[in-house]
């Protein structure tokens, strides 16, 4: 149907783009025309008693709540990585299979709640929510965790934290959303594990994929990005971003150090007319030899720091010294990195 390789945004993820645009537009239209909302309610009582089985279709396509639309759109945007990784046909097959399976699980869960706890659930949240929650299964299993930072020194913030937070927000948006979430997760696990060979039966046929390619690809295709370098083509998007950030940090640090060295070189040349690199950054070139030693030390000419107005944070200096670096090394690296302890640590470890 569509190709699966791509880099950024919605490039080569036309199915994800269509799932972002079309349901949002329809939700806005139903907000403007509330008299038609009843046709799109996910009313299980009407399905059981009134035999209105068409509600299993109409009630599970369009969200009637703008908050649900916003959260589900954010999740679909984050899960677009699966379309680029596996291809749009396989991605569409997963959504279709999870959509079918979650409908049956919805009915089973509501009947079980009524039988066990006498809890009658007649209406569930409408929209394409079952497949959205089902996508958390491959997201948890196949997307690696990359730690971004730590909160209060103990809580790890990773590249996946924001997605889970948006999912939790969607989960708490209505009273019975947890039923839809459970059915979606169960459907995702059933489809991913291929129990009862569901992937063989619940898949998009080839002719439907070709029709979708002809009809949707010209409308929802994005142009190829040109401003981004093709880093880490075999990695996930988050790993590619992390690699690019590391490269930019390293380039920034090296450029700042080079600028400081050139300033110091010019100042020294004006004073003595000689170039002595060891006087500009003696600690970085002689790490391990500037520790305190007993006995008399030969007198050295006083070291003059390059002109820099950046104040060094003593707390960060202490943290670098706890890692085994000398005080002068830590101060020089922090000045050059504008008190960014991550960049300073990376530079000290690599030099």
């Amino acid at each position: 149907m569509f190709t699966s390789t791509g880099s950024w945004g919605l490039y080569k993820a036309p199915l994800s783009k269509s799932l972002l645009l079309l349901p949002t537009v329809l939700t806005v239209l139903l907000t403007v025309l509330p008299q038609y909302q009843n046709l799109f309610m996910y009313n299980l009582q009407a399905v059981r008693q009134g035999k209105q089985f068409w509600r299993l279709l109409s009630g599970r396509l369009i969200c009637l709540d703008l908050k649900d639309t916003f959260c589900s759109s954010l999740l679909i945007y984050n899960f677009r990585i699966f379309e680029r990784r596996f291809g749009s046909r396989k991605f569409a097959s997963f959504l279709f299979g999870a959509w079918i399976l979650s409908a049956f699980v919805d009915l089973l869960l509501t009947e079980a709640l009524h039988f066990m706890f006498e809890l009658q659930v007649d209406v569930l949240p409408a929209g394409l929510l079952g497949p959205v929650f089902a996508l958390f299964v491959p997201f948890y299993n196949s997307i690696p965790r990359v730690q971004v930072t730590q909160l209060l020194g103990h809580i790890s913030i990773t590249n996946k934290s924001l997605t889970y937070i948006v999912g939790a927000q969607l989960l708490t948006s209505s009273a019975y959303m947890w039923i839809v979430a459970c059915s979606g997760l169960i459907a995702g696990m059933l489809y991913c594990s291929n129990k009862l060979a569901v992937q063989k039966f619940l898949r998009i046929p080839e002719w439907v994929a070709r029709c979708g390619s002809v009809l949707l690809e010209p409308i929802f295709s994005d142009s190829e990005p040109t401003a981004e370098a093709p880093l880490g083509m075999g990695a996930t998007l988050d790993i590619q971003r992390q690699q690019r950030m590391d490269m930019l940090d390293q380039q920034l640090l090296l450029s700042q150090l080079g600028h400081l060295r050139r300033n110091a070189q010019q100042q020294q040349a004006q004073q003595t007319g000689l170039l002595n690199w060891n006087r500009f950054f003696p600690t970085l070139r002689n790490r391990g030899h500037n520790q305190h030693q007993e006995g008399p030390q030969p007198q050295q000419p006083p070291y003059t720091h390059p002109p820099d107005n950046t104040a060094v944070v003593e707390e960060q200096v202490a943290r670098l010294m706890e890692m085994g670096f000398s005080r002068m090394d830590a101060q020089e690296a922090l000045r050059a990195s504008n008190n960014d302890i991550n960049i300073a640590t990376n530079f000290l470890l690599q030099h």
Side-chain angles (χ1 to χ4, degrees):
M1 184 172 174
F2 310 106
T3 55
S4 60
T5 59
S7 297
W8 306 104
L10 290 167
Y11 173 61
K12 291 195 175 181
L15 180 58
S16 299
K17 186 176 182 179
S18 63
L19 292 176
L20 286 175
L21 297 179
L22 294 179
T24 302
V25 171
L26 293 175
T27 300
V28 174
L29 289 177
L30 290 177
T31 304
V32 178
L33 304 172
Q35 62 271 22
Y36 296 103
Q37 289 188 358
N38 182 62
L39 297 175
F40 297 92
M41 291 182 61
Y42 190 17
N43 193 326
L44 295 179
Q45 184 180 13
V47 174
R48 298 191 195 96
Q49 300 179 4
K51 307 302 179 183
Q52 299 179 11
F53 297 106
W54 53 270
R55 290 190 179 272
L56 293 175
L57 175 64
S58 63
R60 305 180 68 247
L61 290 177
I62 304 172
C63 293
L64 301 180
D65 192 320
L66 288 176
K67 297 189 298 297
D68 295 348
T69 302
F70 178 74
C71 292
S72 60
S73 298
L74 284 179
L75 292 174
I76 290 174
Y77 180 79
N78 279 279
F79 293 145
R80 73 200 183 281
I81 184 175
F82 296 114
E83 183 176 3
R84 284 198 290 255
R85 177 181 292 185
F86 303 124
S88 291
R89 183 188 177 189
K90 188 173 182 179
F91 182 67
S93 297
F94 177 88
L95 295 177
F96 175 71
W99 188 73
I100 296 295
L101 292 173
S102 60
F104 288 102
V105 179
D106 283 341
L107 296 173
L108 291 176
L109 286 179
T110 53
E111 290 294 335
L113 289 174
H114 179 66
F115 177 77
M116 298 175 61
F117 305 104
E118 296 184 356
L119 176 61
Q120 183 68 37
V121 180
D122 295 330
V123 180
L124 288 177
L128 198 69
L129 301 173
V132 170
F133 282 107
L135 284 169
F136 276 99
V137 176
F139 180 75
Y140 177 82
N141 292 330
S142 61
I143 303 301
R145 294 173 67 254
V146 178
Q147 181 170 334
V148 178
T149 185
Q150 281 192 337
L151 185 63
L152 303 178
H154 301 285
I155 303 175
S156 296
I157 304 298
T158 69
N159 57 319
K160 303 169 70 173
S161 299
L162 180 60
T163 304
Y164 290 131
I165 292 174
V166 176
Q169 177 64 34
L170 181 61
L171 179 64
T172 57
S173 63
S174 60
Y176 295 116
M177 182 66 75
W178 64 272
I179 298 179
V180 178
C182 289
S183 64
L185 294 175
I186 294 173
M189 289 185 287
L190 288 174
Y191 195 89
C192 289
S193 62
N194 199 22
K195 297 295 184 181
L196 305 176
V198 294
Q199 294 183 11
K200 180 180 180 180
F201 301 102
L202 301 177
R203 59 182 303 181
I204 300 298
E206 180 65 27
W207 65 271
V208 176
R210 287 197 298 267
C211 292
S213 177
V214 173
L215 296 176
L216 297 180
E217 188 171 6
I219 302 175
F220 296 106
S221 294
D222 282 358
S223 59
E224 182 177 359
T226 57
E228 301 283 352
L231 265 181
M233 293 302 294
T236 64
L237 298 181
D238 296 296
I239 294 178
Q240 293 174 27
R241 293 190 185 100
Q242 188 66 33
Q243 291 174 346
R244 182 167 284 102
M245 289 175 62
D246 292 341
M247 282 190 60
L248 292 176
D249 289 343
Q250 184 68 18
Q251 292 173 2
L252 176 62
L253 176 60
L254 293 177
S255 64
Q256 289 175 339
L257 286 177
H259 179 68
L260 292 177
R261 287 180 176 179
R262 285 192 298 270
N263 290 342
Q265 179 181 353
Q266 293 174 359
Q267 181 183 11
Q268 185 68 19
Q270 293 174 357
Q271 294 178 356
T272 63
L274 298 176
L275 298 181
N276 188 353
W277 287 96
N278 288 331
R279 293 186 61 192
F280 298 149
F281 286 91
T283 56
L284 296 180
R285 293 181 175 270
N286 299 280
R287 184 175 298 116
H289 301 287
N290 54 7
Q291 304 293 334
H292 176 73
Q293 299 179 0
E294 296 190 7
Q297 299 292 332
Q299 186 176 2
Q300 298 180 352
Y303 170 69
T304 303
H305 289 287
D308 195 343
N309 296 327
T310 303
V312 177
V313 180
E314 288 299 327
E315 180 182 356
Q316 295 182 350
V317 174
R319 290 179 60 183
L320 291 175
M321 292 178 64
E322 291 175 357
M323 299 179 189
F325 305 114
S326 68
R327 180 179 182 82
M328 297 183 68
D329 287 350
Q331 290 176 337
E332 293 295 343
L334 287 172
R335 286 193 184 95
S337 61
N338 196 22
N339 283 316
D340 191 316
I341 192 169
N342 293 324
I343 300 179
T345 304
N346 290 335
F347 183 82
L348 289 172
L349 289 173
Q350 297 176 17
H351 292 77

